Amino acid sequence: MEGKQINEIKGGWFWSWLLVFVIGALVVAATVLTLLRNINHFKLNRHRGHPEHIVPKYADALEIAMRFFDVQKSGKLEDNRIWWRGDSGLTDGSEANLDLSKGMYDAGDLMKFGFPMAFTATVLSWAILEYGDQMNAVKQLGHAQNSLKWITDYLINAHPSPNVLYIQVGDPKLDHDCWQRPETMTEKRPAIQINASFPGTEVAAETAAAMASASLVFKKINSSYSDLLLTHAKLLFSFADTYRGSYSISVPKVQEYYNSTGYEDELLWAATWLYHATWEESYLRYVTEQKGPEFGNWDNPSWFSWDDKHAGTQQVLLSRISFFGAKETSLAETIGLQMYRKTAEVIMCGLLPDSPTATPNRTDSGLIWVIQWSSLQHPVASAFLAVLYSDYMVNSKTPMLYCNGKTYKPEDLREFAVSQVDYVLGKNPMKMSYVVGYGSKYPQYVHHRGSSIPVDADSGCHDGFKWLESPNPNPNIAVGALVGGPFLNETYNDFRNNSMQGEPSTYNSALIVALLSGLVSSSSVVKPLL
């Protein structure tokens, strides 16, 4: 009625056009905001240019740590940055008529284990999504994206049909019976799959998480690739959830190497990443009201690792939603998010060294220490979560963390993270860096085949062990490798056969890259773009 009166008074055509224009502009604005929310909701600092106050030692360490992904690459190498590495694994997957030549070797061996490799991709994606601008400021973003795509290219090919996923290339026994460079390996490399009859929920769900998180990374720079990743992620999650069963049972050989302690955390991890990638409420409902009470491990903090995603996923990643909001949520969903955040606070309080609930799992110098095999995985992972949570607090203007009557600021969490990474980089009783190539003192006898064998060596499967037993330092530097780490008494025995302390892994490298990316700028005061 009002519109008709206006038209009669002031020339209807002009005011009708203006009204249409205003409404159209509002619709376009709303659409753009929705697209920005869906595409860039993960970017904390999209509005900034380059971060200021770069910390040189962390920038240097990040550049070095990033190179280990190049050390571990399988396949026909492109823009090879490691002089002693060449093409390898070119026929991987051929017996299954698949191209599984890409991907990365797991550790110091020549195996491709899909479970930890997918975790590597997920963590690397998370680091890029949260701290891509900081990576870019020190010229490491492109390297991170390329390394991620090297893995996701492999994962795409490893998923040839909805309910089939190849989760391993190589036979661990055959592989460990040889000591060879990847370029000259001669042992058989079978490709192992899971399917509806022999399920592997945890590895299928972890791969779904990797695909979903990577789809966000490539959303703006390669939309068709992003869409492909998201399609695979949805199919893999459905496969994982429909055909539930542990891959440790379906593929018994993995029990000695990457035995799973349960798949519930991976299902929640995958669904959480799919929610971030799609904003589809069904995934949020899955992790809160549907499966949260059963799978969420609420009020029971745990250590973040390739096997246990509870701390990283649900409690910190879902706390992100609690901090910054989500679309319309039901009461049950809201309660679920609050439970995850409550557990995240318990975890953070446990990490702070002077908290009333501080974990006793530390060395005398303050390094988080949980297990002796690859001991650095837990302090590095914990420090990464602490940096994230600290930034979430800053960005959401949450001033305090309450720990049994004592309060802490975001800076306290960041200080804890700094203490852990500084220990890794040399501020420790051994006065050595545990990142190979960083600083003036670092391990010289890394348990790593390619690093330990001269490029021109003419040795086969069995006689190659002479290089394992050699008293000489490795002829090739496994630059960027994060070795296993110190014992509880803070000693480190640098000899090549000490795989417990001296073997690096790709997934631990993803964690140290993520941590350094969060600390490379001294300022964490940024705002979320929601």
Side-chain angles (χ1 to χ4, degrees), residues 37 41 234 237 241 267-296 298 313-341:
R37 181 184 177 95
H41 76 284
K234 290 180 176 180
F237 178 74
D241 196 34
L267 285 172
L268 295 175
W269 174 244
T272 302
W273 278 110
L274 279 162
Y275 175 70
H276 280 295
T278 66
W279 283 104
E280 293 178 14
E281 187 188 2
S282 61
Y283 295 116
L284 182 61
R285 192 183 313 119
Y286 184 96
V287 299
T288 52
E289 61 180 289
Q290 288 183 356
K291 300 301 179 184
E294 181 183 0
F295 295 166
W298 293 336
T313 330
Q314 303 93 281
Q315 284 125 23
V316 174
L317 186 54
L318 282 171
S319 292
R320 193 185 206 290
I321 302 172
S322 179
F323 274 119
F324 302 131
K327 290 186 175 182
E328 296 295 328
T329 56
S330 68
L331 177 60
E333 290 168 347
T334 301
I335 292 173
L337 289 172
Q338 290 173 346
M339 291 301 296
Y340 285 121
R341 180 167 170 181

Side-chain angles (χ1 to χ4, degrees), residues 439-457:
S440 59
K441 182 182 179 183
Y442 50 82
Q444 301 294 309
Y445 295 82
V446 180
H447 184 88
H448 188 277
R449 286 163 172 74
S451 174
S452 67
I453 303 175
V455 174
D456 58 355

Side-chain angles (χ1 to χ4, degrees), residues 243-505:
Y243 300 96
R244 292 188 192 173
S246 175
Y247 96 124
S248 295
I249 296 174
S250 297
V251 188
K253 287 183 178 180
V254 303
Q255 293 178 16
E256 187 177 346
Y257 304 96
Y258 291 102
N259 185 48
S260 171
T261 56
Y263 55 70
E264 294 83 359
D265 53 323
E266 277 83 22
L267 285 172
L268 295 175
W269 174 244
T272 302
W273 278 110
L274 279 162
Y275 175 70
H276 280 295
T278 66
W279 283 104
E280 293 178 14
E281 187 188 2
S282 61
Y283 295 116
L284 182 61
R285 192 183 313 119
Y286 184 96
V287 299
T288 52
E289 61 180 289
Q290 288 183 356
K291 300 301 179 184
E294 181 183 0
F295 295 166
N297 213 20
W298 293 336
D299 290 327
N300 186 19
S302 58
W303 300 104
F304 185 42
S305 72
W306 58 264
D307 178 43
D308 191 342
K309 315 309 186 312
H310 280 111
T313 330
Q314 303 93 281
Q315 284 125 23
V316 174
L317 186 54
L318 282 171
S319 292
R320 193 185 206 290
I321 302 172
S322 179
F323 274 119
F324 302 131
K327 290 186 175 182
E328 296 295 328
T329 56
S330 68
L331 177 60
E333 290 168 347
T334 301
I335 292 173
L337 289 172
Q338 290 173 346
M339 291 301 296
Y340 285 121
R341 180 167 170 181
K342 179 183 176 183
T343 311
E345 291 173 350
V346 173
I347 293 172
M348 293 302 119
C349 289
L351 296 178
L352 293 166
D354 64 341
S355 163
T357 57
T359 177
N361 293 79
R362 302 174 200 269
T363 66
D364 290 343
S365 299
L367 180 75
I368 293 291
W369 199 94
V370 180
I371 57 174
Q372 61 181 0
W373 197 285
S374 190
S375 63
L376 287 177
Q377 63 180 304
H378 293 110
V380 171
S382 298
F384 172 53
L385 297 186
V387 169
L388 280 175
Y389 206 82
S390 171
D391 286 346
Y392 291 171
M393 289 179 67
V394 170
N395 299 333
S396 63
K397 294 181 171 56
T398 303
M400 294 292 175
L401 172 67
Y402 296 90
C403 303
N404 279 27
K406 195 170 182 180
T407 60
Y408 295 89
K409 297 179 180 179
E411 295 93 315
D412 296 316
L413 286 171
R414 195 173 183 88
E415 184 178 336
F416 159 76
V418 165
S419 74
Q420 302 301 291
V421 77
D422 282 354
Y423 187 107
V424 172
L425 296 180
K427 193 175 181 180
N428 56 62
M430 296 294 293
K431 300 187 185 311
M432 67 179 294
S433 165
Y434 290 107
V435 176
V436 176
Y438 179 84
S440 59
K441 182 182 179 183
Y442 50 82
Q444 301 294 309
Y445 295 82
V446 180
H447 184 88
H448 188 277
R449 286 163 172 74
S451 174
S452 67
I453 303 175
V455 174
D456 58 355
D458 183 17
S459 57
C461 169
H462 298 296
D463 61 343
F465 279 101
K466 65 185 178 185
W467 302 111
L468 173 65
E469 305 296 338
S470 169
N472 300 319
N474 287 6
N476 310 313
I477 297 176
V479 61
L482 176 67
V483 295
F487 286 136
L488 181 58
N489 64 5
E490 303 188 89
T491 62
Y492 180 87
N493 300 315
D494 190 16
F495 66 94
R496 198 173 293 111
N497 223 350
N498 180 15
S499 57
M500 182 180 292
Q501 289 189 289
E503 185 170 20
S505 65

